[in-house]
Amino acid sequence: MFDHRKYQKQYYLPPVMTYDWVKKDSIEQAPIWCSVDLRDGNQALAAPMDLSEKLKMFELLVEIGFKEIEVAFPAASDTEFQFLRTIIENHMIPEDVTIQVITQAREHIIRRTFEALEGVPKAIVHLYNSTSEAQRRQVFQKSKEEIKQLAIDGAIWVQKYAQKTKGDFYFQYSPESFPGTEVEYALEICNEVLEVWQPTPDHKVIINIPTTVENAMPHIFAGQIEYIHKHLQYRDSVVLSIHPHNDRGCGVSDAEFGVMAGADRVEGTLFGNGERTGNVDLITVAMNLYSHGVDPKLKLGNMPKICETYEQLTKMKVHERQPYSGALVFTAFSGSHQDAIAKGMKYREAAQSEFWDVPYLPIDPADVGRNYETEVIRINSQSGKGGIGYVLQHHYGIKLPYSMNEEMGYLVKEESDHKHKELSSQEIYQVFERSYLEFRPVLNVADFRFTREEEITADVTVEYQGKQQQISGRGKGRLDSVSNALKHELGLEFVLEDYEEHSLGKDSSAKAIAYVGIKHQDNYYWGAGTDEDIIRASVFALTVAINRMIEHKGRAIR
């Protein structure tokens, strides 16, 4: 039964809510990033990665530029344990990368964790225990003091086994299920753990605040983080970290507001993989910074490769609308969007603008390895003339006159609607080709030659209504003389209204294209022609325009 009355707010406000973070209008520098793909993301897969897949994922994360990577829960399974031993014994951890492992606050698990870490160059040991009111009451049936003692004992055991194990160790503590924990109580536990570990500015401890189940609005989470930021002991010796989940769909907001509220570090995954609705998508958070002119300190310039590798290893899909990385996020099907993008791109090229401000594109798609030619403007029945004109110009060098572009737009949308699918650039060109270049069902000009006296005379060989005949006409120009021959000798009525031409290439041997528009009564008809000779191209264009007029008149009569 769908009944909202069974629910109530399950989060706690700090004793004092401050809003200093609200006064900031941006994030000035990237936080420390920690990928948890190999642990939190991996445990959420229906089929967790095997050893070889985990190694490939580790290589990908290093390539992207993560300097802190949570690689395993070593006590959880043999695969986790062996993966950690593999990268340590084979010296696969770069000098500038610190691996992280996670452990519950239980001595035998902590002991097993350090067995897996023996000989590691440098590692973060991430200790956690659940602190929420619901778990204290329902799962553990323990008091606040008993739960706090679990954390303290865990911190002591971590310190004890670190001293016995070869390696350079840093410690991290998380009050798991923080959103359901009284904020001042979570702070009290964190400070007790810090008292055990006694961090210094030269050897800091990480206090990590997870939104294990996101249940508060982002501004509430920011207020909680700001309170902890202001009241943590040893603050100059603590890296304040956050680990947002996405149960309310606000993981990115939690991360950004949390950093503004004092967090120094963000844990998350590629594309938001993780339990239930997943962790915060670090790519989105990093690219949001990038779009504001802040260096994200991650290498995200080949997004298609990152997506492909991720999908191969996790068997998960990157959604088409995933910010920055989805296949359709830079694609415009809407006519008005296409028109604005096409004009914005032309403006940017002409103005040689230093900054990116193309309408509807928050960043330059090329920055993340996306392709203008095939991805930015795509055509279906919802598209407009601007996008269709952009595709023809970008792929084929065809610059349609304005009203011809509008007419072409209707033809393409009709084709897409009929086929119930998106049209490729080749299919769009085929519509143009059959409608404006090759459409000669009734009239065809087979040959022509010109003589000049006071006016130009055109002698034209035509095929009209199945018969070939010779006609002639005079005019002030060559196209005008052919037009007059067709009108006077074949009894055709039209006015030559528009003529445009341009080259289809940059070298001297490139073909030219001509566009001719004629008018009959209140109707307008366009044709196009291509040839090395611009006069021949113009005559071909005129012929198509007349055929379109004849066809339209025939349909009207029928």
Side-chain angles (χ1 to χ4, degrees):
M1 182 177 178
F2 192 76
D3 185 358
H4 68 280
R5 291 171 296 182
K6 71 167 71 169
Y7 301 103
Q8 60 182 346
K9 290 181 285 189
Q10 297 181 33
Y11 56 85
Y12 295 87
L13 296 177
V16 179
M17 279 287 281
T18 58
Y19 295 97
D20 292 342
W21 65 272
V22 177
K23 301 169 187 175
K24 302 175 183 177
D25 65 357
S26 64
I27 299 172
E28 300 299 330
Q29 64 181 23
I32 300 166
W33 305 111
C34 177
S35 159
V36 296
D37 291 85
L38 285 166
R39 193 273 302 175
D40 208 1
N42 182 48
Q43 76 180 20
L45 299 177
M49 288 178 272
D50 61 24
L51 182 60
S52 65
E53 289 170 333
K54 290 198 74 168
L55 288 171
K56 290 176 183 175
M57 177 61 81
F58 182 70
E59 290 170 358
L60 174 64
L61 296 170
V62 170
E63 185 179 330
I64 290 172
F66 286 102
K67 302 305 179 187
E68 295 185 4
I69 302 172
E70 189 167 79
V71 296
F73 195 146
S77 71
D78 286 341
T79 300
E80 298 280 281
F81 189 97
Q82 289 305 321
F83 171 69
L84 186 52
R85 294 311 309 158
T86 298
I87 62 174
I88 292 172
E89 292 171 7
N90 291 284
H91 309 290
M92 300 176 67
I93 307 168
E95 287 186 9
D96 62 345
V97 172
T98 303
I99 63 165
Q100 177 172 303
V101 297
I102 191 168
T103 177
Q104 293 173 330
R106 299 167 70 183
E107 185 175 10
H108 72 283
I109 294 177
I110 292 170
R111 180 173 60 249
R112 180 67 169 163
T113 299
F114 278 95
E115 288 172 3
L117 286 168
E118 179 69 37
V120 70
K122 183 167 61 174
I124 298 166
V125 179
H126 179 186
L127 173 73
Y128 77 94
N129 68 298
S130 187
T131 59
S132 73
E133 188 279 330
Q135 292 223 40
R136 296 195 312 263
R137 173 169 41 88
Q138 299 177 33
V139 180
F140 303 111
Q141 298 181 356
K142 291 182 181 295
S143 68
K144 282 185 174 182
E145 284 301 315
E146 289 173 310
I147 293 294
K148 182 171 69 175
Q149 192 60 49
L150 284 178
I152 293 170
D153 290 343
I156 293 170
W157 289 325
V158 164
Q159 194 171 55
K160 169 186 168 184
Y161 284 102
Q163 292 168 354
K164 296 179 177 180
T165 307
K166 182 181 178 182
D168 185 12
F169 297 108
Y170 293 78
F171 303 148
Q172 172 173 322
Y173 174 71
S174 292
E176 198 228 344
S177 61
F178 168 83
T181 304
E182 303 87 341
V183 178
E184 62 272 33
Y185 174 59
L187 175 68
E188 180 184 344
I189 295 177
C190 291
N191 281 333
E192 291 282 1
V193 169
L194 289 172
E195 283 294 340
V196 173
W197 286 340
Q198 297 281 311
T200 66
D202 295 329
H203 206 279
K204 294 185 177 183
V205 159
I206 301 168
I207 292 295
N208 181 63
I209 305 300
T211 54
T212 308
V213 177
E214 183 189 35
N215 59 21
M217 295 175 70
H219 75 288
I220 297 295
F221 179 66
Q224 294 168 330
I225 294 300
E226 189 165 76
Y227 179 81
I228 289 173
H229 163 60
K230 290 181 175 181
H231 293 88
L232 266 179
Q233 296 177 16
Y234 302 95
R235 185 64 186 92
D236 64 343
S237 302
V238 171
V239 175
L240 180 56
S241 176
I242 52 177
H243 182 116
H245 276 246
N246 201 41
D247 299 87
R248 288 173 52 91
C250 301
V252 170
S253 297
D254 283 344
E256 292 182 328
F257 287 4
V259 170
M260 293 172 72
D264 311 300
R265 180 179 184 267
V266 179
E267 294 187 348
T269 57
L270 303 180
F271 312 115
N273 185 23
E275 293 280 15
R276 305 180 313 279
T277 53
N279 298 290
V280 64
D281 175 10
L282 294 185
I283 287 181
T284 297
V285 182
M287 289 304 303
N288 282 352
L289 291 176
Y290 182 81
S291 72
H292 285 177
V294 176
D295 183 358
K297 306 297 184 182
L298 294 176
K299 300 170 188 174
L300 302 173
N302 192 347
M303 199 70 74
K305 180 187 175 185
I306 295 171
C307 293
E308 181 183 358
T309 305
Y310 168 84
E311 291 183 341
Q312 176 189 2
L313 297 177
T314 65
K315 313 303 186 291
M316 302 278 282
K317 283 288 294 179
V318 177
H319 194 276
E320 290 89 342
R321 301 295 181 187
Q322 186 85 0
Y324 302 105
S325 50
L328 296 179
V329 296
F330 299 112
T331 298
F333 290 106
S334 161
S336 60
H337 289 206
Q338 291 175 343
D339 185 59
I341 290 171
K343 288 175 180 175
M345 298 284 275
K346 289 179 182 177
Y347 176 87
R348 175 175 171 76
E349 185 177 351
Q352 296 183 329
S353 176
E354 178 183 359
F355 296 105
W356 180 265
D357 62 348
V358 175
Y360 297 110
L361 295 178
I363 67 163
D364 184 348
D367 289 355
V368 288
R370 303 299 289 272
N371 190 309
Y372 288 115
E373 286 79 359
T374 59
E375 298 185 59
V376 174
I377 291 179
R378 290 162 60 175
I379 305 303
N380 63 15
S381 61
Q382 306 301 306
S383 304
K385 62 182 185 297
I388 292 163
Y390 176 86
V391 169
L392 286 173
Q393 181 175 347
H394 209 77
H395 289 269
Y396 301 101
I398 296 169
K399 305 171 188 176
L400 298 178
Y402 182 82
S403 61
M404 185 181 184
N405 191 15
E406 186 171 21
E407 183 178 278
M408 175 66 182
Y410 288 117
L411 293 174
V412 169
K413 289 199 287 185
E414 191 175 288
E415 178 88 355
S416 175
D417 199 32
H418 175 71
K419 291 183 174 181
H420 300 289
K421 74 181 192 75
E422 174 190 350
L423 299 185
S424 68
S425 59
Q426 183 178 5
E427 288 174 309
I428 294 166
Y429 180 78
Q430 288 169 352
V431 173
F432 175 75
E433 187 176 50
R434 70 171 180 260
S435 302
Y436 295 107
L437 291 176
E438 298 179 350
F439 188 76
R440 302 184 187 93
V442 180
L443 170 68
N444 184 47
V445 174
D447 194 19
F448 50 85
R449 58 188 178 86
F450 301 99
T451 57
R452 187 181 188 102
E453 295 176 358
E454 291 183 5
E455 291 185 303
I456 293 176
T457 299
D459 295 309
V460 186
T461 302
V462 299
E463 296 166 357
Y464 183 54
Q465 296 180 336
K467 296 180 181 179
Q468 188 174 95
Q469 53 187 298
Q470 303 293 321
I471 62 175
S472 63
R474 292 184 176 184
K476 295 179 180 179
R478 294 181 180 185
L479 186 62
D480 186 44
S481 64
V482 173
S483 173
N484 288 336
L486 295 171
K487 285 192 290 188
H488 299 155
E489 302 236 7
L490 300 181
L492 299 171
E493 296 181 15
F494 62 86
V495 178
L496 190 60
E497 285 278 327
D498 277 297
Y499 174 81
E500 293 186 28
E501 64 178 66
H502 64 80
S503 172
L504 288 173
K506 296 183 179 179
D507 57 65
S508 57
S509 63
K511 281 188 175 183
I513 186 166
Y515 313 97
V516 171
I518 63 174
K519 188 175 183 181
H520 174 66
Q521 296 177 351
D522 293 329
N523 296 310
Y524 219 91
Y525 307 95
W526 281 98
T530 61
D531 198 88
E532 288 83 359
D533 176 40
I534 190 59
I535 299 301
R536 291 179 64 82
S538 304
V539 172
F540 294 157
L542 174 62
T543 306
V544 171
I546 293 171
N547 273 281
R548 291 178 64 81
M549 177 188 73
I550 294 170
E551 184 211 32
H552 181 262
K553 289 171 65 178
R555 286 205 310 267
I557 292 171
R558 290 195 295 271

PDB file of all heavy atoms in Angstrom, residues 443-465:
ATOM      1  N   LEU A 443      11.185  16.538 -67.043  1.00  0.00           N
ATOM      2  CA  LEU A 443      12.026  17.391 -67.889  1.00  0.00           C
ATOM      3  C   LEU A 443      13.489  17.126 -67.575  1.00  0.00           C
ATOM      4  O   LEU A 443      13.886  17.078 -66.411  1.00  0.00           O
ATOM      5  CB  LEU A 443      11.705  18.868 -67.622  1.00  0.00           C
ATOM      6  CG  LEU A 443      12.654  19.899 -68.238  1.00  0.00           C
ATOM      7  CD1 LEU A 443      12.545  19.902 -69.766  1.00  0.00           C
ATOM      8  CD2 LEU A 443      12.367  21.283 -67.675  1.00  0.00           C
ATOM      9  N   ASN A 444      14.298  16.981 -68.653  1.00  0.00           N
ATOM     10  CA  ASN A 444      15.737  16.838 -68.481  1.00  0.00           C
ATOM     11  C   ASN A 444      16.440  17.632 -69.570  1.00  0.00           C
ATOM     12  O   ASN A 444      16.063  17.564 -70.748  1.00  0.00           O
ATOM     13  CB  ASN A 444      16.157  15.371 -68.561  1.00  0.00           C
ATOM     14  CG  ASN A 444      17.646  15.208 -68.273  1.00  0.00           C
ATOM     15  OD1 ASN A 444      18.142  15.776 -67.308  1.00  0.00           O
ATOM     16  ND2 ASN A 444      18.334  14.462 -69.104  1.00  0.00           N
ATOM     17  N   VAL A 445      17.431  18.405 -69.196  1.00  0.00           N
ATOM     18  CA  VAL A 445      18.239  19.144 -70.162  1.00  0.00           C
ATOM     19  C   VAL A 445      19.437  18.266 -70.518  1.00  0.00           C
ATOM     20  O   VAL A 445      20.300  18.010 -69.673  1.00  0.00           O
ATOM     21  CB  VAL A 445      18.691  20.499 -69.610  1.00  0.00           C
ATOM     22  CG1 VAL A 445      19.656  21.179 -70.585  1.00  0.00           C
ATOM     23  CG2 VAL A 445      17.483  21.388 -69.340  1.00  0.00           C
ATOM     24  N   ALA A 446      19.467  17.796 -71.766  1.00  0.00           N
ATOM     25  CA  ALA A 446      20.520  16.875 -72.196  1.00  0.00           C
ATOM     26  C   ALA A 446      21.782  17.618 -72.619  1.00  0.00           C
ATOM     27  O   ALA A 446      22.890  17.137 -72.394  1.00  0.00           O
ATOM     28  CB  ALA A 446      20.014  16.001 -73.347  1.00  0.00           C
ATOM     29  N   ASP A 447      21.603  18.800 -73.249  1.00  0.00           N
ATOM     30  CA  ASP A 447      22.771  19.525 -73.759  1.00  0.00           C
ATOM     31  C   ASP A 447      22.376  20.976 -74.002  1.00  0.00           C
ATOM     32  O   ASP A 447      21.189  21.311 -74.121  1.00  0.00           O
ATOM     33  CB  ASP A 447      23.280  18.887 -75.045  1.00  0.00           C
ATOM     34  CG  ASP A 447      24.673  19.381 -75.421  1.00  0.00           C
ATOM     35  OD1 ASP A 447      25.365  19.911 -74.531  1.00  0.00           O
ATOM     36  OD2 ASP A 447      25.054  19.245 -76.590  1.00  0.00           O
ATOM     37  N   PHE A 448      23.373  21.840 -74.071  1.00  0.00           N
ATOM     38  CA  PHE A 448      23.112  23.250 -74.387  1.00  0.00           C
ATOM     39  C   PHE A 448      24.411  23.902 -74.846  1.00  0.00           C
ATOM     40  O   PHE A 448      25.508  23.446 -74.523  1.00  0.00           O
ATOM     41  CB  PHE A 448      22.529  24.009 -73.183  1.00  0.00           C
ATOM     42  CG  PHE A 448      23.319  23.823 -71.917  1.00  0.00           C
ATOM     43  CD1 PHE A 448      24.422  24.620 -71.630  1.00  0.00           C
ATOM     44  CD2 PHE A 448      22.960  22.850 -70.997  1.00  0.00           C
ATOM     45  CE1 PHE A 448      25.145  24.451 -70.462  1.00  0.00           C
ATOM     46  CE2 PHE A 448      23.690  22.673 -69.822  1.00  0.00           C
ATOM     47  CZ  PHE A 448      24.778  23.469 -69.553  1.00  0.00           C
ATOM     48  N   ARG A 449      24.236  24.977 -75.642  1.00  0.00           N
ATOM     49  CA  ARG A 449      25.383  25.801 -76.044  1.00  0.00           C
ATOM     50  C   ARG A 449      24.903  27.235 -76.186  1.00  0.00           C
ATOM     51  O   ARG A 449      23.711  27.498 -76.376  1.00  0.00           O
ATOM     52  CB  ARG A 449      26.011  25.283 -77.343  1.00  0.00           C
ATOM     53  CG  ARG A 449      25.088  25.225 -78.524  1.00  0.00           C
ATOM     54  CD  ARG A 449      25.757  24.524 -79.701  1.00  0.00           C
ATOM     55  NE  ARG A 449      24.857  24.415 -80.845  1.00  0.00           N
ATOM     56  CZ  ARG A 449      24.699  25.375 -81.769  1.00  0.00           C
ATOM     57  NH1 ARG A 449      25.377  26.510 -81.672  1.00  0.00           N
ATOM     58  NH2 ARG A 449      23.854  25.203 -82.780  1.00  0.00           N
ATOM     59  N   PHE A 450      25.862  28.136 -76.114  1.00  0.00           N
ATOM     60  CA  PHE A 450      25.510  29.558 -76.087  1.00  0.00           C
ATOM     61  C   PHE A 450      26.214  30.307 -77.216  1.00  0.00           C
ATOM     62  O   PHE A 450      27.347  29.989 -77.590  1.00  0.00           O
ATOM     63  CB  PHE A 450      25.928  30.191 -74.748  1.00  0.00           C
ATOM     64  CG  PHE A 450      25.282  29.536 -73.546  1.00  0.00           C
ATOM     65  CD1 PHE A 450      25.978  28.598 -72.795  1.00  0.00           C
ATOM     66  CD2 PHE A 450      23.982  29.854 -73.194  1.00  0.00           C
ATOM     67  CE1 PHE A 450      25.400  28.006 -71.693  1.00  0.00           C
ATOM     68  CE2 PHE A 450      23.400  29.259 -72.088  1.00  0.00           C
ATOM     69  CZ  PHE A 450      24.101  28.335 -71.338  1.00  0.00           C
ATOM     70  N   THR A 451      25.500  31.303 -77.772  1.00  0.00           N
ATOM     71  CA  THR A 451      26.108  32.283 -78.682  1.00  0.00           C
ATOM     72  C   THR A 451      25.774  33.665 -78.165  1.00  0.00           C
ATOM     73  O   THR A 451      24.747  33.861 -77.489  1.00  0.00           O
ATOM     74  CB  THR A 451      25.577  32.117 -80.119  1.00  0.00           C
ATOM     75  OG1 THR A 451      24.139  32.229 -80.107  1.00  0.00           O
ATOM     76  CG2 THR A 451      25.985  30.763 -80.707  1.00  0.00           C
ATOM     77  N   ARG A 452      26.607  34.611 -78.476  1.00  0.00           N
ATOM     78  CA  ARG A 452      26.412  35.947 -77.914  1.00  0.00           C
ATOM     79  C   ARG A 452      26.400  36.992 -79.018  1.00  0.00           C
ATOM     80  O   ARG A 452      27.301  37.064 -79.827  1.00  0.00           O
ATOM     81  CB  ARG A 452      27.526  36.263 -76.905  1.00  0.00           C
ATOM     82  CG  ARG A 452      27.285  37.576 -76.173  1.00  0.00           C
ATOM     83  CD  ARG A 452      28.417  37.872 -75.207  1.00  0.00           C
ATOM     84  NE  ARG A 452      28.068  39.027 -74.382  1.00  0.00           N
ATOM     85  CZ  ARG A 452      27.648  38.974 -73.138  1.00  0.00           C
ATOM     86  NH1 ARG A 452      27.534  37.819 -72.545  1.00  0.00           N
ATOM     87  NH2 ARG A 452      27.352  40.077 -72.473  1.00  0.00           N
ATOM     88  N   GLU A 453      25.343  37.771 -79.012  1.00  0.00           N
ATOM     89  CA  GLU A 453      25.271  38.970 -79.860  1.00  0.00           C
ATOM     90  C   GLU A 453      24.945  40.116 -78.912  1.00  0.00           C
ATOM     91  O   GLU A 453      25.724  40.403 -78.020  1.00  0.00           O
ATOM     92  CB  GLU A 453      24.224  38.770 -80.966  1.00  0.00           C
ATOM     93  CG  GLU A 453      24.610  37.652 -81.940  1.00  0.00           C
ATOM     94  CD  GLU A 453      23.543  37.383 -82.967  1.00  0.00           C
ATOM     95  OE1 GLU A 453      22.472  38.023 -82.917  1.00  0.00           O
ATOM     96  OE2 GLU A 453      23.758  36.500 -83.822  1.00  0.00           O
ATOM     97  N   GLU A 454      23.804  40.788 -79.096  1.00  0.00           N
ATOM     98  CA  GLU A 454      23.402  41.790 -78.105  1.00  0.00           C
ATOM     99  C   GLU A 454      22.954  41.091 -76.814  1.00  0.00           C
ATOM    100  O   GLU A 454      23.157  41.587 -75.723  1.00  0.00           O
ATOM    101  CB  GLU A 454      22.261  42.648 -78.654  1.00  0.00           C
ATOM    102  CG  GLU A 454      22.707  43.548 -79.792  1.00  0.00           C
ATOM    103  CD  GLU A 454      21.570  44.438 -80.248  1.00  0.00           C
ATOM    104  OE1 GLU A 454      20.488  44.416 -79.629  1.00  0.00           O
ATOM    105  OE2 GLU A 454      21.783  45.170 -81.216  1.00  0.00           O
ATOM    106  N   GLU A 455      22.291  39.959 -76.986  1.00  0.00           N
ATOM    107  CA  GLU A 455      21.912  39.118 -75.858  1.00  0.00           C
ATOM    108  C   GLU A 455      22.525  37.733 -76.045  1.00  0.00           C
ATOM    109  O   GLU A 455      23.027  37.400 -77.124  1.00  0.00           O
ATOM    110  CB  GLU A 455      20.383  38.988 -75.757  1.00  0.00           C
ATOM    111  CG  GLU A 455      19.677  40.267 -75.348  1.00  0.00           C
ATOM    112  CD  GLU A 455      18.192  40.023 -75.148  1.00  0.00           C
ATOM    113  OE1 GLU A 455      17.524  39.551 -76.075  1.00  0.00           O
ATOM    114  OE2 GLU A 455      17.717  40.310 -74.029  1.00  0.00           O
ATOM    115  N   ILE A 456      22.469  36.947 -75.005  1.00  0.00           N
ATOM    116  CA  ILE A 456      22.973  35.580 -75.081  1.00  0.00           C
ATOM    117  C   ILE A 456      21.847  34.677 -75.557  1.00  0.00           C
ATOM    118  O   ILE A 456      20.720  34.730 -75.061  1.00  0.00           O
ATOM    119  CB  ILE A 456      23.494  35.107 -73.711  1.00  0.00           C
ATOM    120  CG1 ILE A 456      24.742  35.918 -73.322  1.00  0.00           C
ATOM    121  CG2 ILE A 456      23.827  33.616 -73.735  1.00  0.00           C
ATOM    122  CD1 ILE A 456      25.277  35.593 -71.959  1.00  0.00           C
ATOM    123  N   THR A 457      22.169  33.867 -76.541  1.00  0.00           N
ATOM    124  CA  THR A 457      21.205  32.888 -77.062  1.00  0.00           C
ATOM    125  C   THR A 457      21.616  31.501 -76.576  1.00  0.00           C
ATOM    126  O   THR A 457      22.779  31.109 -76.676  1.00  0.00           O
ATOM    127  CB  THR A 457      21.168  32.901 -78.587  1.00  0.00           C
ATOM    128  OG1 THR A 457      20.759  34.188 -79.043  1.00  0.00           O
ATOM    129  CG2 THR A 457      20.192  31.850 -79.115  1.00  0.00           C
ATOM    130  N   ALA A 458      20.646  30.772 -76.075  1.00  0.00           N
ATOM    131  CA  ALA A 458      20.878  29.399 -75.629  1.00  0.00           C
ATOM    132  C   ALA A 458      20.163  28.441 -76.554  1.00  0.00           C
ATOM    133  O   ALA A 458      18.954  28.568 -76.779  1.00  0.00           O
ATOM    134  CB  ALA A 458      20.383  29.212 -74.205  1.00  0.00           C
ATOM    135  N   ASP A 459      20.894  27.506 -77.125  1.00  0.00           N
ATOM    136  CA  ASP A 459      20.299  26.407 -77.893  1.00  0.00           C
ATOM    137  C   ASP A 459      20.348  25.170 -77.012  1.00  0.00           C
ATOM    138  O   ASP A 459      21.430  24.696 -76.638  1.00  0.00           O
ATOM    139  CB  ASP A 459      21.077  26.178 -79.191  1.00  0.00           C
ATOM    140  CG  ASP A 459      20.979  27.378 -80.130  1.00  0.00           C
ATOM    141  OD1 ASP A 459      19.847  27.818 -80.384  1.00  0.00           O
ATOM    142  OD2 ASP A 459      22.041  27.883 -80.559  1.00  0.00           O
ATOM    143  N   VAL A 460      19.146  24.658 -76.689  1.00  0.00           N
ATOM    144  CA  VAL A 460      19.041  23.642 -75.648  1.00  0.00           C
ATOM    145  C   VAL A 460      18.394  22.375 -76.201  1.00  0.00           C
ATOM    146  O   VAL A 460      17.383  22.451 -76.916  1.00  0.00           O
ATOM    147  CB  VAL A 460      18.198  24.165 -74.465  1.00  0.00           C
ATOM    148  CG1 VAL A 460      18.210  23.180 -73.322  1.00  0.00           C
ATOM    149  CG2 VAL A 460      18.688  25.533 -74.017  1.00  0.00           C
ATOM    150  N   THR A 461      18.997  21.238 -75.870  1.00  0.00           N
ATOM    151  CA  THR A 461      18.398  19.940 -76.172  1.00  0.00           C
ATOM    152  C   THR A 461      17.725  19.432 -74.903  1.00  0.00           C
ATOM    153  O   THR A 461      18.390  19.246 -73.876  1.00  0.00           O
ATOM    154  CB  THR A 461      19.465  18.930 -76.617  1.00  0.00           C
ATOM    155  OG1 THR A 461      20.149  19.460 -77.766  1.00  0.00           O
ATOM    156  CG2 THR A 461      18.830  17.593 -76.974  1.00  0.00           C
ATOM    157  N   VAL A 462      16.407  19.237 -75.002  1.00  0.00           N
ATOM    158  CA  VAL A 462      15.675  18.814 -73.810  1.00  0.00           C
ATOM    159  C   VAL A 462      14.932  17.508 -74.075  1.00  0.00           C
ATOM    160  O   VAL A 462      14.605  17.188 -75.226  1.00  0.00           O
ATOM    161  CB  VAL A 462      14.666  19.888 -73.352  1.00  0.00           C
ATOM    162  CG1 VAL A 462      15.366  21.179 -72.993  1.00  0.00           C
ATOM    163  CG2 VAL A 462      13.588  20.122 -74.398  1.00  0.00           C
ATOM    164  N   GLU A 463      14.702  16.800 -73.014  1.00  0.00           N
ATOM    165  CA  GLU A 463      13.808  15.648 -73.033  1.00  0.00           C
ATOM    166  C   GLU A 463      12.623  16.023 -72.161  1.00  0.00           C
ATOM    167  O   GLU A 463      12.763  16.204 -70.945  1.00  0.00           O
ATOM    168  CB  GLU A 463      14.526  14.415 -72.480  1.00  0.00           C
ATOM    169  CG  GLU A 463      15.715  13.992 -73.330  1.00  0.00           C
ATOM    170  CD  GLU A 463      16.620  13.012 -72.614  1.00  0.00           C
ATOM    171  OE1 GLU A 463      16.341  12.708 -71.430  1.00  0.00           O
ATOM    172  OE2 GLU A 463      17.614  12.575 -73.221  1.00  0.00           O
ATOM    173  N   TYR A 464      11.449  16.174 -72.806  1.00  0.00           N
ATOM    174  CA  TYR A 464      10.276  16.692 -72.097  1.00  0.00           C
ATOM    175  C   TYR A 464       9.086  15.804 -72.390  1.00  0.00           C
ATOM    176  O   TYR A 464       8.731  15.591 -73.555  1.00  0.00           O
ATOM    177  CB  TYR A 464      10.001  18.128 -72.515  1.00  0.00           C
ATOM    178  CG  TYR A 464       8.838  18.786 -71.781  1.00  0.00           C
ATOM    179  CD1 TYR A 464       8.795  18.831 -70.392  1.00  0.00           C
ATOM    180  CD2 TYR A 464       7.770  19.346 -72.494  1.00  0.00           C
ATOM    181  CE1 TYR A 464       7.743  19.424 -69.724  1.00  0.00           C
ATOM    182  CE2 TYR A 464       6.715  19.960 -71.833  1.00  0.00           C
ATOM    183  CZ  TYR A 464       6.702  19.984 -70.450  1.00  0.00           C
ATOM    184  OH  TYR A 464       5.656  20.573 -69.772  1.00  0.00           O
ATOM    185  N   GLN A 465       8.509  15.270 -71.324  1.00  0.00           N
ATOM    186  CA  GLN A 465       7.349  14.389 -71.440  1.00  0.00           C
ATOM    187  C   GLN A 465       7.622  13.226 -72.397  1.00  0.00           C
ATOM    188  O   GLN A 465       6.792  12.846 -73.220  1.00  0.00           O
ATOM    189  CB  GLN A 465       6.112  15.180 -71.886  1.00  0.00           C
ATOM    190  CG  GLN A 465       5.685  16.217 -70.859  1.00  0.00           C
ATOM    191  CD  GLN A 465       4.474  17.012 -71.288  1.00  0.00           C
ATOM    192  OE1 GLN A 465       4.189  17.140 -72.489  1.00  0.00           O
ATOM    193  NE2 GLN A 465       3.755  17.561 -70.313  1.00  0.00           N
TER     194      GLN A 465
END
